[in-house]
Amino acid sequence: YKTLATQLKEKNRGLIKSCTMKGESHDELHKWLYPHIELIESLSKAESSKEASVIIANLQSSFSTFNQYFQ
């Protein structure tokens, strides 16, 4: 799970660097992105695989939300 957190952080950096969204859609992305980043940070600090599993489930839900609203 530590490796997953590192990979997700890297993907987010790429997403942020390549973002071309403007206006309301950009603002809406940030409403999703900030809590998602917090989940990834929590995953990187998880102290057990049980704790990490809960966070990973929350990340999966977060990705589902992203895919529902963004292409």
Side-chain angles (χ1 to χ4, degrees), residues 15 19 21 24-33 62-71:
L15 174 68
C19 182
M21 297 174 82
E24 186 178 347
S25 60
H26 183 260
D27 296 340
E28 292 301 315
L29 177 63
H30 280 263
K31 288 179 186 177
W32 168 82
L33 185 60
S62 178
F63 278 121
S64 292
T65 300
F66 176 86
N67 288 326
Q68 182 178 358
Y69 295 102
F70 298 98
Q71 295 181 7

Side-chain angles (χ1 to χ4, degrees), residues 24-52:
E24 186 178 347
S25 60
H26 183 260
D27 296 340
E28 292 301 315
L29 177 63
H30 280 263
K31 288 179 186 177
W32 168 82
L33 185 60
Y34 290 130
H36 187 77
I37 289 171
E38 289 177 14
L39 283 171
I40 295 169
E41 190 59 32
S42 294
L43 182 60
S44 71
K45 295 177 180 177
E47 297 184 8
S48 69
S49 58
K50 184 177 179 180
E51 181 183 356

Side-chain angles (χ1 to χ4, degrees), residues 1-13 40:
Y1 58 87
K2 301 285 185 187
T3 302
L4 176 60
T6 299
Q7 291 170 344
L8 290 171
K9 284 180 182 183
E10 189 173 312
K11 292 288 185 186
N12 276 350
R13 277 192 291 275
I40 295 169

Side-chain angles (χ1 to χ4, degrees), residues 50-62:
K50 184 177 179 180
E51 181 183 356
S53 292
V54 172
I55 297 167
I56 289 169
N58 290 332
L59 281 165
Q60 288 172 322
S61 177
S62 178

